[in-house]
Amino acid sequence: MDPVQAGGGDVSPKVLDALRRRLGAGSDGVPAAGEPDGPFRPPLVPLKLRTIDAAFALPEVTSVADLGGVWAVEAGYSFHALEQHAPERAVLVDDDITPGVRERAAAFGQFELLEQNFGLERTPADVGPIGVVLLFDVLLHQVDPDWDEILRRYAPHAQAFAIANPMWSRGPDTLRLLDLGEERYRQAVPPQDNLEGLFGRLDEVNPRRARPWRDVHDVWQWGITDTDLRATMAELGFSVAFAEQHGPWRGLADFEDCAYVFHRSA
Ligand SMILES: C[S@@+](CC[C@H](N)C(=O)[O-])C[C@H]1O[C@@H](n2cnc3c(N)ncnc32)[C@H](O)[C@@H]1O
Protein backbone atom coordinates (compact mmCIF):
# COMPACT_ATOMS: atom_id res chain seq x y z
CA MET A 1 0.00 0.00 0.00
CA ASP A 2 1.23 3.49 -0.74
CA PRO A 3 2.52 4.79 2.61
CA VAL A 4 1.25 8.26 1.79
CA GLN A 5 -2.24 6.86 1.53
CA ALA A 6 -1.82 4.47 4.42
CA GLY A 7 -2.53 7.03 7.12
CA GLY A 8 -1.14 7.38 10.62
CA GLY A 9 2.24 8.47 11.91
CA ASP A 10 4.28 5.35 11.46
CA VAL A 11 5.73 4.96 8.03
CA SER A 12 6.65 2.05 5.82
CA PRO A 13 10.12 0.49 6.11
CA LYS A 14 10.90 1.90 2.64
CA VAL A 15 10.27 5.47 3.75
CA LEU A 16 12.12 4.93 7.02
CA ASP A 17 15.12 3.60 5.11
CA ALA A 18 15.07 6.66 2.89
CA LEU A 19 14.87 8.89 5.97
CA ARG A 20 17.72 7.08 7.72
CA ARG A 21 19.86 7.28 4.58
CA ARG A 22 19.11 10.97 4.27
CA LEU A 23 19.82 11.74 7.93
CA GLY A 24 22.94 9.60 7.70
CA ALA A 25 24.11 11.84 4.87
CA GLY A 26 25.10 14.40 7.50
CA SER A 27 23.48 17.14 9.47
CA ASP A 28 24.63 19.70 6.91
CA GLY A 29 21.76 18.71 4.64
CA VAL A 30 24.07 17.69 1.79
CA PRO A 31 22.44 14.81 -0.09
CA ALA A 32 24.28 11.48 -0.07
CA ALA A 33 25.91 10.40 -3.31
CA GLY A 34 23.40 9.02 -5.74
CA GLU A 35 20.44 10.91 -4.28
CA PRO A 36 18.82 13.70 -6.23
CA ASP A 37 19.84 17.20 -5.18
CA GLY A 38 17.58 19.15 -2.89
CA PRO A 39 16.39 18.67 0.65
CA PHE A 40 14.72 15.39 1.58
CA ARG A 41 11.00 15.75 2.20
CA PRO A 42 9.41 12.75 3.93
CA PRO A 43 5.99 11.90 2.49
CA LEU A 44 3.06 13.32 4.41
CA VAL A 45 -0.34 11.77 4.99
CA PRO A 46 -3.09 13.50 2.95
CA LEU A 47 -5.65 13.07 5.76
CA LYS A 48 -3.39 15.02 8.13
CA LEU A 49 -2.85 17.75 5.53
CA ARG A 50 -6.63 18.06 5.06
CA THR A 51 -7.02 18.29 8.83
CA ILE A 52 -4.55 21.18 9.03
CA ASP A 53 -6.29 22.92 6.12
CA ALA A 54 -9.67 22.46 7.84
CA ALA A 55 -8.30 24.02 11.03
CA PHE A 56 -6.93 27.04 9.17
CA ALA A 57 -10.33 27.52 7.53
CA LEU A 58 -11.55 28.64 10.97
CA PRO A 59 -11.23 32.43 11.26
CA GLU A 60 -9.84 32.24 14.81
CA VAL A 61 -6.90 30.05 13.71
CA THR A 62 -3.90 32.23 12.81
CA SER A 63 -1.15 30.34 14.64
CA VAL A 64 -0.16 26.72 15.20
CA ALA A 65 1.62 24.52 17.74
CA ASP A 66 2.77 21.11 16.48
CA LEU A 67 3.20 18.83 19.51
CA GLY A 68 5.43 15.84 18.70
CA GLY A 69 5.92 16.75 15.07
CA VAL A 70 9.36 15.34 14.31
CA TRP A 71 9.75 11.56 14.13
CA ALA A 72 9.83 10.23 10.57
CA VAL A 73 8.27 13.38 9.11
CA GLU A 74 10.85 16.02 10.06
CA ALA A 75 8.17 18.50 11.15
CA GLY A 76 6.55 18.23 7.73
CA TYR A 77 3.13 19.19 9.11
CA SER A 78 4.51 22.37 10.68
CA PHE A 79 6.13 23.26 7.36
CA HIS A 80 2.89 22.57 5.49
CA ALA A 81 1.11 25.00 7.81
CA LEU A 82 3.89 27.57 7.40
CA GLU A 83 4.01 27.32 3.62
CA GLN A 84 0.29 27.01 2.89
CA HIS A 85 -1.26 29.16 5.61
CA ALA A 86 1.42 31.70 6.60
CA PRO A 87 0.53 31.67 10.31
CA GLU A 88 1.62 34.67 12.35
CA ARG A 89 3.33 32.24 14.73
CA ALA A 90 4.25 28.55 14.73
CA VAL A 91 5.75 26.46 17.55
CA LEU A 92 7.12 22.93 17.35
CA VAL A 93 7.52 21.01 20.62
CA ASP A 94 9.31 17.67 20.56
CA ASP A 95 11.74 15.82 22.83
CA ASP A 96 13.94 15.03 19.83
CA ILE A 97 14.47 17.82 17.29
CA THR A 98 16.80 16.88 14.42
CA PRO A 99 19.45 19.06 12.77
CA GLY A 100 17.49 18.87 9.51
CA VAL A 101 14.42 20.41 11.15
CA ARG A 102 16.51 23.21 12.68
CA GLU A 103 18.07 23.95 9.32
CA ARG A 104 14.76 24.14 7.43
CA ALA A 105 13.12 26.10 10.26
CA ALA A 106 15.72 28.88 9.99
CA ALA A 107 13.93 30.18 6.88
CA PHE A 108 10.81 31.02 8.95
CA GLY A 109 11.24 33.91 11.36
CA GLN A 110 7.91 33.18 13.07
CA PHE A 111 8.77 29.51 13.79
CA GLU A 112 9.94 28.61 17.33
CA LEU A 113 11.42 25.23 18.26
CA LEU A 114 11.06 23.92 21.81
CA GLU A 115 13.02 20.76 22.49
CA GLN A 116 11.21 19.56 25.60
CA ASN A 117 8.41 17.31 26.77
CA PHE A 118 5.07 18.83 25.77
CA GLY A 119 3.45 17.14 28.76
CA LEU A 120 5.41 19.20 31.29
CA GLU A 121 3.23 21.45 33.40
CA ARG A 122 5.06 24.55 32.13
CA THR A 123 5.02 23.74 28.40
CA PRO A 124 1.52 25.05 27.56
CA ALA A 125 2.56 28.43 29.01
CA ASP A 126 5.83 28.23 27.04
CA VAL A 127 3.74 27.73 23.90
CA GLY A 128 1.39 30.55 24.87
CA PRO A 129 -1.97 31.46 23.30
CA ILE A 130 -2.33 29.52 20.07
CA GLY A 131 -4.84 29.11 17.25
CA VAL A 132 -4.58 25.38 16.70
CA VAL A 133 -2.75 22.64 18.56
CA LEU A 134 -1.73 19.74 16.27
CA LEU A 135 -1.65 16.32 17.92
CA PHE A 136 -0.82 13.88 15.13
CA ASP A 137 -0.25 10.30 16.26
CA VAL A 138 0.88 11.40 19.68
CA LEU A 139 -2.19 11.26 21.95
CA LEU A 140 -2.11 7.47 22.23
CA HIS A 141 1.49 7.66 23.51
CA GLN A 142 0.82 10.01 26.43
CA VAL A 143 1.06 8.77 30.02
CA ASP A 144 1.64 10.82 33.18
CA PRO A 145 0.17 13.16 32.15
CA ASP A 146 -2.31 10.98 30.32
CA TRP A 147 -3.81 11.87 26.94
CA ASP A 148 -6.92 13.56 28.39
CA GLU A 149 -4.86 15.60 30.85
CA ILE A 150 -2.73 16.85 27.94
CA LEU A 151 -5.90 18.11 26.26
CA ARG A 152 -7.02 19.70 29.54
CA ARG A 153 -3.69 21.52 29.96
CA TYR A 154 -3.68 23.01 26.46
CA ALA A 155 -7.41 23.81 26.27
CA PRO A 156 -7.19 27.22 28.03
CA HIS A 157 -4.49 28.30 25.55
CA ALA A 158 -6.06 27.03 22.31
CA GLN A 159 -8.83 28.06 19.94
CA ALA A 160 -8.82 24.67 18.20
CA PHE A 161 -7.26 21.21 18.23
CA ALA A 162 -6.39 19.19 15.13
CA ILE A 163 -6.07 15.54 16.12
CA ALA A 164 -5.12 12.52 14.04
CA ASN A 165 -4.93 9.32 16.01
CA PRO A 166 -5.41 5.59 15.58
CA MET A 167 -8.62 5.18 17.62
CA TRP A 168 -9.45 2.01 19.56
CA SER A 169 -12.26 0.34 17.65
CA ARG A 170 -12.79 -2.64 19.98
CA GLY A 171 -14.59 -0.52 22.59
CA PRO A 172 -16.54 0.08 24.58
CA ASP A 173 -13.96 1.67 26.88
CA THR A 174 -10.65 3.43 26.54
CA LEU A 175 -7.87 1.25 27.93
CA ARG A 176 -4.17 1.10 28.74
CA LEU A 177 -2.85 -1.22 26.05
CA LEU A 178 -0.18 -2.74 28.30
CA ASP A 179 -3.01 -4.08 30.47
CA LEU A 180 -3.92 -6.41 27.61
CA GLY A 181 -0.86 -8.54 28.39
CA GLU A 182 2.07 -9.18 26.08
CA GLU A 183 0.43 -11.50 23.58
CA ARG A 184 -2.67 -9.42 22.93
CA TYR A 185 -0.66 -6.16 23.07
CA ARG A 186 1.69 -7.34 20.33
CA GLN A 187 -1.26 -8.51 18.25
CA ALA A 188 -2.88 -5.09 18.53
CA VAL A 189 -0.01 -2.67 17.88
CA PRO A 190 2.46 -2.32 15.00
CA PRO A 191 5.76 -4.21 15.28
CA GLN A 192 8.60 -2.06 16.67
CA ASP A 193 12.16 -2.93 17.72
CA ASN A 194 11.66 -1.61 21.25
CA LEU A 195 8.88 -4.15 21.97
CA GLU A 196 11.45 -6.96 22.32
CA GLY A 197 11.64 -7.65 26.06
CA LEU A 198 9.39 -4.68 26.89
CA PHE A 199 7.15 -6.62 29.25
CA GLY A 200 10.21 -7.76 31.23
CA ARG A 201 11.43 -4.23 31.87
CA LEU A 202 8.21 -2.28 32.43
CA ASP A 203 9.33 -1.15 35.89
CA GLU A 204 12.93 -0.39 34.89
CA VAL A 205 13.76 3.26 34.32
CA ASN A 206 14.33 4.21 30.71
CA PRO A 207 17.41 6.43 31.02
CA ARG A 208 16.60 8.54 27.96
CA ARG A 209 13.15 9.47 29.27
CA ALA A 210 13.95 9.25 33.01
CA ARG A 211 10.77 7.28 33.74
CA PRO A 212 9.76 3.60 33.82
CA TRP A 213 9.35 1.90 30.46
CA ARG A 214 5.65 1.41 31.20
CA ASP A 215 5.19 5.19 30.95
CA VAL A 216 7.42 6.18 28.00
CA HIS A 217 5.95 7.78 24.89
CA ASP A 218 8.12 5.59 22.67
CA VAL A 219 5.59 2.74 22.74
CA TRP A 220 1.84 2.56 22.11
CA GLN A 221 0.11 3.22 25.42
CA TRP A 222 -3.61 3.88 24.96
CA GLY A 223 -6.55 2.55 23.06
CA ILE A 224 -8.68 5.72 23.04
CA THR A 225 -12.25 5.40 21.82
CA ASP A 226 -13.86 7.93 19.51
CA THR A 227 -16.63 8.34 22.09
CA ASP A 228 -14.19 9.21 24.88
CA LEU A 229 -12.21 11.68 22.77
CA ARG A 230 -15.38 13.50 21.69
CA ALA A 231 -16.73 13.50 25.28
CA THR A 232 -13.45 14.89 26.65
CA MET A 233 -13.40 17.67 24.07
CA ALA A 234 -17.07 18.50 24.73
CA GLU A 235 -16.36 18.70 28.45
CA LEU A 236 -13.51 21.14 27.68
CA GLY A 237 -15.88 23.34 25.65
CA PHE A 238 -14.85 22.25 22.14
CA SER A 239 -17.09 20.96 19.37
CA VAL A 240 -16.38 19.09 16.16
CA ALA A 241 -15.62 21.23 13.11
CA PHE A 242 -14.23 18.41 10.96
CA ALA A 243 -14.00 14.63 11.29
CA GLU A 244 -13.01 11.78 8.98
CA GLN A 245 -12.82 8.04 9.70
CA HIS A 246 -11.10 5.69 7.30
CA GLY A 247 -11.36 2.12 8.57
CA PRO A 248 -8.49 0.05 9.96
CA TRP A 249 -5.34 2.04 10.67
CA ARG A 250 -2.66 0.63 8.37
CA GLY A 251 -4.44 -2.72 8.41
CA LEU A 252 -4.53 -3.05 12.23
CA ALA A 253 -7.82 -4.70 13.19
CA ASP A 254 -8.14 -2.90 16.54
CA PHE A 255 -7.53 0.69 15.47
CA GLU A 256 -9.38 3.01 13.14
CA ASP A 257 -7.70 5.80 11.17
CA CYS A 258 -9.40 9.00 12.38
CA ALA A 259 -8.81 12.72 12.28
CA TYR A 260 -10.69 15.63 13.82
CA VAL A 261 -10.72 19.37 14.24
CA PHE A 262 -12.37 20.60 17.42
CA HIS A 263 -13.00 24.29 17.90
CA ARG A 264 -13.83 26.34 20.95
CA SER A 265 -17.58 26.60 21.34
CA ALA A 266 -17.83 27.81 24.94
C1 LIG B 1 4.69 8.82 16.32
S1 LIG B 1 5.66 10.27 16.11
C2 LIG B 1 4.49 11.33 15.30
C3 LIG B 1 5.17 12.30 14.34
C4 LIG B 1 4.23 13.20 13.56
N1 LIG B 1 3.40 14.00 14.45
C5 LIG B 1 3.37 12.44 12.60
O1 LIG B 1 2.15 12.57 12.65
O2 LIG B 1 3.89 11.71 11.76
C6 LIG B 1 5.73 10.93 17.76
C7 LIG B 1 6.63 12.15 17.92
O3 LIG B 1 6.22 12.84 19.09
C8 LIG B 1 7.30 13.03 19.98
N2 LIG B 1 6.69 12.96 21.33
C9 LIG B 1 5.75 12.07 21.76
N3 LIG B 1 5.36 12.38 22.99
C10 LIG B 1 6.05 13.50 23.36
C11 LIG B 1 6.05 14.30 24.52
N4 LIG B 1 5.25 14.04 25.56
N5 LIG B 1 6.87 15.37 24.55
C12 LIG B 1 7.68 15.67 23.50
N6 LIG B 1 7.72 14.94 22.36
C13 LIG B 1 6.91 13.86 22.29
C14 LIG B 1 8.32 11.99 19.62
O4 LIG B 1 9.63 12.41 19.93
C15 LIG B 1 8.10 11.88 18.10
O5 LIG B 1 8.84 12.85 17.41
Side-chain angles (χ1 to χ4, degrees), residues 8-11 43-45 48 66-77 92-98 114-120 123 134-145 150 154 164 192 208-209 211 216-218 220 249:
D10 292 317
V11 293
L44 301 175
V45 173
K48 293 177 181 173
D66 184 3
L67 306 187
V70 175
W71 188 80
V73 291
E74 292 286 280
Y77 299 106
L92 170 72
V93 191
D94 199 296
D95 267 339
D96 305 312
I97 297 184
T98 62
L114 298 179
E115 190 163 28
Q116 64 196 52
N117 192 312
F118 63 71
L120 296 178
T123 308
L134 306 189
L135 288 155
F136 286 176
D137 294 337
V138 292
L139 265 192
L140 66 73
H141 293 279
Q142 304 309 310
V143 171
D144 189 21
I150 294 276
Y154 283 88
Q192 284 181 202
R208 187 160 178 222
R209 305 296 182 208
R211 52 170 59 206
V216 297
H217 63 65
D218 306 79
W220 284 43
W249 186 89

Side-chain angles (χ1 to χ4, degrees), residues 14 17-18 49 71 84 132-133 139 154 175 196 199-200 223 229:
K14 194 172 151 199
D17 278 347
L49 299 177
W71 188 80
Q84 301 302 317
V132 61
V133 173
L139 265 192
Y154 283 88
L175 48 76
E196 277 321 311
F199 277 74
L229 176 62

